[in-house]
Every structure is written in structure tokens, then in C-alpha cells.
Amino acid sequence: MIEVEKKFLLTSDEVARLTQNATFLVEWTFRDTYYDTADFSLSKSDKWLRSRDGKFELKVAVSSLGKKADQYDEITDEVKIREALQLSPGNNFSNDLKQNGIVPFCSFSTTRKKYKDDPFIIDLDLVDFTSFKYSIGEIELMVESKHDIENAVQQILHYAKEKDLKITPVRGKVVEYIRRTSPQHYSELIKAGIVEE
Ligand code: V4E
């Protein structure tokens, strides 16, 4: 499955409109640790490796219709993550990452409130970066194939307009963390065309 999502920085009024007719599903807190090489080779290829509460996941950009990708395949199977990272089969994944110079570069916890407004899933995240907090909302649709991505994006934008949300480019949590804490990493992501200034 491909997760098609759009991020929003929401005012409290916008949160109220968005959740008014939605069903609250669950609230929980999780910890993400993101990994990269010293020269940022993964993130500069739009590959985002994280361990979420100890379980590894790799997000890889999906090219759709020749445009710069802003949707991601989520790979959770260790064998497939190894393939995508070109790591040979081995016993201990964390050790193999380390041996290949892939090490943690940030770790933070997020408290997420999840809602459903069929067919959309709405996530409201409050991220604790210790020295600062970041609040971000996401509207998501899951699709089976790359061919469904464009239509899903249009559905999300239509829904956001119905809710009178402000549609602007928004930095994801990790990108915001990198911008605030690691200017060199941030400028290399801009140079590589992965994030926009
Ligand atoms: C895809 C991506 C990154 C990986 C983290 O993805 P994100 O959706 O921000 O995290 P989260 O916790 O909401 O994941 P979920 O729980 O939904 O699986 S880090 C950076 N990107 C891409 C990206 C980009 N290229 N440019 C900007 C401005 N933001 C993010």
C-alpha cells in the first residue's frame, strides 16, 4: 500500500473544524530514531530510515507521473529494507547498519491523536524535540497503486478546502528538526532537491 498524505500547520479553529465530524480513534505516544550516514547519503536520496519504538521502517520516495515525489513507500520487512539499502543478509540488523556507517542522527517522541473521517485518516501530532515542540496535522489516504496517487492528492485537497484549511508547504517533523539543529544537513537536502527552502 502507498500512503498519500498532506501535512498542515493547523490553528485551533482549523483543528476544531477538521475533527468536528470525525471519529476519534486513539491517542498514543511513540519514539522515532532516524538513521543516516555521515554524508547524509540516505536522506539525500529521499530514503528515510527510522526505528519506531524499536521496529525498523524505511520510507522511500515514489515517483509519480514524472513529478518530484512527495509520496512514500513504507518498507517494514527487514529483508526488503536490506535490499533497498544494499546491505548483505546478516544476523543483527542494528550491528549491520553500524558497520555500514548508518547511525542514529535524531530521536524524539510524538503524541499522536488519530481520527477517521471516511475515507480519510487524520493524524494530529505533537512532537517533543526536548528543546522545542512542533505541532503538525496530516490528512491521509491509502492507495493500492502509483496510478491512484494523483487522484488521492486531489481528494485530500478537496477535503481540506471543504474544511477551509490553509494550504501551504509544510516541513515534516524530521525536516523541521534538521532545519533547527543541523544547518549543514539541511542545506545539503536543499542542494539535493529533497526539500524546498
Ligand atoms: C517522508 C519524509 C520523512 C520521513 C518521515 O515521514 P513523516 O511523514 O514526516 O513522518 P510521520 O511520523 O508522520 O510518519 P507516519 O507515522 O505517517 O508513517 S522525513 C522527510 N520526508 C520527506 C519530506 C520532504 N522531502 N520535504 C519536507 C518539507 N518534509 C518531508
Side-chain angles (χ1 to χ4, degrees):
M1 292 292 277
I2 300 170
E3 178 190 65
V4 181
E5 63 177 36
K6 180 109 189 79
K7 298 181 194 302
F8 298 87
L9 295 179
L10 300 165
T11 63
S12 50
D13 283 353
E14 287 173 323
V15 168
R17 286 201 294 279
L18 196 53
T19 55
Q20 197 175 22
N21 297 316
T23 308
F24 173 74
L25 297 178
V26 65
E27 173 176 338
W28 81 108
T29 300
F30 52 87
R31 173 161 283 274
D32 288 329
T33 302
Y34 279 85
Y35 289 71
D36 209 338
T37 58
D39 61 356
F40 319 121
S41 64
L42 296 187
S43 56
K44 280 166 67 179
S45 318
D46 223 355
K47 290 180 180 159
W48 301 88
L49 177 66
R50 73 180 173 214
S51 148
R52 173 164 292 179
D53 288 342
K55 195 175 174 326
F56 279 97
E57 301 172 347
L58 179 67
K59 286 202 177 195
V60 184
V62 181
S63 308
S64 75
L65 310 172
K67 287 190 318 183
K68 187 176 161 294
D70 56 2
Q71 272 70 52
Y72 292 82
D73 255 337
E74 294 194 35
I75 309 174
T76 52
D77 180 80
E78 190 188 299
V79 173
K80 291 194 175 132
I81 296 179
R82 282 180 184 273
E83 273 169 24
L85 299 180
Q86 296 175 321
L87 299 181
S88 6
N91 288 328
N92 184 298
F93 189 60
S94 293
N95 283 349
D96 291 348
L97 289 177
K98 205 169 173 184
Q99 279 189 352
N100 284 274
I102 302 172
V103 292
F105 70 91
C106 75
S107 184
F108 53 84
S109 70
T110 299
T111 297
R112 172 168 292 176
K113 288 183 185 158
K114 193 176 273 295
Y115 296 80
K116 188 171 180 70
D117 191 0
D118 226 8
F120 304 98
I121 291 288
I122 300 160
D123 285 341
L124 302 180
D125 285 353
L126 179 62
V127 194
D128 188 350
F129 288 117
T130 314
S131 50
F132 61 96
K133 288 192 174 11
Y134 190 56
S135 207
I136 189 166
E138 289 180 0
I139 302 175
E140 304 175 354
L141 266 183
M142 298 300 286
V143 298
E144 297 272 347
S145 125
K146 278 186 189 182
H147 306 289
D148 302 324
I149 290 177
E150 198 56 45
N151 183 40
V153 170
Q154 291 311 320
Q155 280 187 65
I156 292 174
L157 290 175
H158 181 77
Y159 176 71
K161 278 186 196 144
E162 264 179 15
K163 299 286 172 186
D164 200 15
L165 305 186
K166 200 163 162 216
I167 297 167
T168 52
V170 171
R171 280 184 286 276
K173 302 189 269 280
V174 189
V175 172
E176 182 62 12
Y177 177 86
I178 294 169
R179 186 182 77 88
R180 294 203 193 205
T181 62
S182 176
Q184 192 202 343
H185 190 173
Y186 191 65
S187 82
E188 295 215 18
L189 289 176
I190 290 170
K191 261 190 264 157
I194 303 301
V195 302
E196 285 166 22
E197 229 162 327

